[in-house]
């Protein structure tokens, strides 16, 4: 046990649950207060901050220390991943050489709940000396940081979830929400699309979900096809050979008019399928998808309709089939 640590006691399960509920309620109230502020006096400086950042030629430098620094690091990462070039500079390190990382065409977002953090003063002074735009995220309306800043995003003073009012909890949440609000507003202002997002997130499940269906669908001879009027034994043979779980039924012009699935076959086993054509068995309103659809959307459709494959169509003609296993293979499922 560390010196000064309280004596360990057996945790009370009910007390722990009640504590969690109080924390959530306190932080919800804090976010609600921030929402109310954004609907009123905070709206104008927020809009100015978005305008300022949108017009810089360089990057956004996010800075802070302590818990504000940790939140600032996350905000910088969110900005960078949503189309606003940004990185985090620790305020203390800035005072020991890292100021050289900040250029005149950059903008600075400085974070301090009180606005009086001494370690920030070096980077604040630097921003004033070289006329680098400075945005403050603080609750200190008359603080040194607020007085120096070009734009002040004044956070409402709200109770911390910590019962002693000491551990930054609600306050850091509001900083995080404000950072997310900036990032998303900038994303929308820049017209940042899922394709741009994909370029910046090529790895992991996120990158997989942003893959286009056209990149993974089965094409050419891999597409199970049969003409209207085809007898079911031939369709069943195609179903077995292509191993996609369905056969696309097309008319003489090549347009999709239905599909025959494993389920359709199973539901008609009571019939003499040798004498039945696909027209009598097929599902006439199959689930289809566009080639430019994201893999994540394809997964959602498969899950929503509890099916294993989607026909990819263009101009009403099947150009591919995407199966759940194709999505699983790239790590999207």
């Amino acid at each position: 046990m560390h010196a000064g640590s309280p004596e360990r006691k057996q945790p009370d399960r009910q007390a722990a649950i009640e504590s969690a509920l109080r924390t959530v309620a306190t932080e919800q109230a804090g976010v609600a207060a921030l929402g109310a502020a954004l609907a009123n006096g905070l709206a104008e400086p927020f809009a100015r901050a978005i305008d300022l950042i949108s017009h810089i030629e360089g990057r956004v430098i996010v800075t802070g220390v302590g818990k504000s620094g940790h939140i600032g690091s996350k905000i910088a990462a969110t900005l960078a991943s949503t189309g606003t070039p940004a990185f985090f500079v620790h305020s203390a390190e800035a005072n020991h050489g890292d100021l050289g990382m900040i250029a005149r065409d950059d903008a600075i977002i400085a974070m301090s709940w009180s606005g009086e953090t001494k370690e920030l003063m070096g980077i604040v002074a630097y921003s004033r000396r070289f006329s680098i735009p400075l945005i403050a995220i603080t609750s200190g309306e008359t603080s040194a940081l607020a007085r120096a800043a070009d734009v002040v995003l004044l956070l409402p003073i709200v109770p911390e979830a910590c019962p002693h009012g000491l551990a930054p909890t609600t306050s850091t949440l509001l900083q995080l929400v404000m950072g997310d609000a900036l990032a998303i507003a900038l994303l929308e202002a820049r017209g940042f699309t899922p394709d741009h997002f994909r370029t910046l997130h090529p790895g992991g499940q996120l990158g997989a979900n942003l893959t286009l269906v056209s990149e993974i669908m089965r094409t050419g001879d891999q597409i199970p096809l049969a003409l209207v009027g085809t007898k079911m034994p031939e369709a069943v043979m195609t179903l077995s050979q292509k191993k996609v779980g369905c056969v696309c039924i097309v008319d003489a012009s090549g347009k999709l008019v239905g599909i025959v699935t494993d389920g359709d076959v199973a539901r008609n086993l009571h019939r003499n399928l040798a004498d039945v054509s696909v027209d009598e068995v097929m599902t006439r309103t199959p689930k289809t998808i566009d080639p430019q659809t994201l893999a994540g959307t394809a997964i959602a459709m498969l899950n929503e309709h509890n099916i294993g494959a989607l026909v990819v169509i263009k101009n009403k003609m099947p150009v591919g089939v995407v199966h759940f296993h194709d999505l699983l293979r790239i790590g999207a499922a």
Side-chain angles (χ1 to χ4, degrees):
M1 184 180 295
H2 296 293
S5 297
E7 182 182 349
R8 289 187 178 179
K9 297 187 296 184
Q10 185 67 25
D12 182 323
R13 291 173 58 89
Q14 186 56 40
I17 293 170
E18 291 173 358
S19 173
L21 289 171
R22 286 194 302 272
T23 296
V24 171
T26 302
E27 296 197 344
Q28 282 179 328
V31 173
L34 179 58
L38 276 166
N40 293 288
L42 187 52
E44 195 277 332
F46 182 86
R48 282 199 289 125
I50 297 300
D51 185 64
L52 187 156
I53 294 171
S54 296
H55 287 89
I56 63 171
E57 297 294 329
R59 299 152 299 177
V60 175
I61 313 300
V62 186
T63 189
V65 295
K67 304 299 186 295
S68 294
H70 292 302
I71 297 299
S73 181
K74 187 273 179 190
I75 290 171
T78 300
L79 286 166
S81 70
T82 52
T84 301
F87 64 89
F88 177 76
V89 173
H90 194 282
S91 303
E93 296 297 331
N95 295 330
H96 295 277
D98 282 0
L99 286 174
M101 300 168 70
I102 306 171
R104 294 187 184 218
D105 55 358
D106 294 336
I108 298 170
I109 297 177
M111 306 183 63
S112 168
W113 183 252
S114 68
E116 299 292 351
T117 305
K118 291 182 179 179
E119 292 89 343
L120 275 174
M121 294 306 108
I123 202 167
V124 168
Y126 186 83
S127 75
R128 303 302 79 189
R129 179 182 177 186
F130 294 104
S131 300
I132 300 170
L134 176 64
I135 299 168
I137 299 180
T138 182
S139 68
E141 185 171 6
T142 61
S143 64
L145 176 59
R147 293 195 305 271
D150 298 296
V151 179
V152 179
L153 299 179
L154 189 65
L155 303 178
I157 299 175
V158 293
E160 299 286 11
C162 168
H164 309 299
L166 299 174
T169 44
T170 313
S171 57
T172 48
L173 176 62
L174 296 197
Q175 291 176 327
L176 181 62
V177 172
M178 177 57 71
D180 285 345
L182 288 169
I184 300 306
L186 287 164
L187 174 154
E188 292 174 349
R190 294 177 189 277
F192 195 78
T193 66
D195 193 50
H196 296 133
F197 204 82
R198 179 187 171 213
T199 301
L200 299 176
H201 298 77
Q205 188 174 21
L206 180 57
N209 283 334
L210 293 170
T211 300
L212 296 177
V213 165
S214 61
E215 299 177 48
I216 57 171
M217 66 186 186
R218 306 180 190 200
T219 60
D221 292 341
Q222 294 179 305
I223 305 174
L225 293 173
L227 279 169
V228 290
T230 299
K231 293 296 183 180
M232 278 301 297
E234 184 180 340
V236 171
M237 182 67 69
T238 302
L239 192 66
S240 174
Q241 291 174 342
K242 301 300 182 179
K243 302 184 186 302
V244 181
C246 68
V247 177
C248 304
I249 311 303
V250 296
D251 62 17
S253 65
K255 292 182 179 179
L256 184 73
V257 294
I259 60 170
V260 173
T261 67
D262 291 330
D264 292 324
V265 173
R267 283 187 289 273
N268 286 273
L269 286 176
H270 64 285
R271 306 169 67 180
N272 182 6
L273 293 180
D275 297 328
V276 175
S277 72
V278 293
D279 308 53
E280 301 174 63
V281 175
M282 69 183 183
T283 298
R284 295 181 180 274
T285 55
K287 303 302 177 187
T288 61
I289 199 167
D290 185 89
Q292 296 305 301
T293 305
L294 297 178
T297 302
I299 294 168
M301 288 183 65
L302 292 175
N303 289 332
E304 179 184 355
H305 300 291
N306 195 28
I307 54 179
L310 292 164
V311 182
V312 186
I313 62 169
K314 188 172 183 179
N315 298 325
K316 299 183 179 181
M317 297 182 179
V319 294
V321 176
V322 60
H323 191 272
F324 177 78
H325 289 160
D326 303 323
L327 298 162
L328 192 64
R329 175 172 47 80
I330 66 167

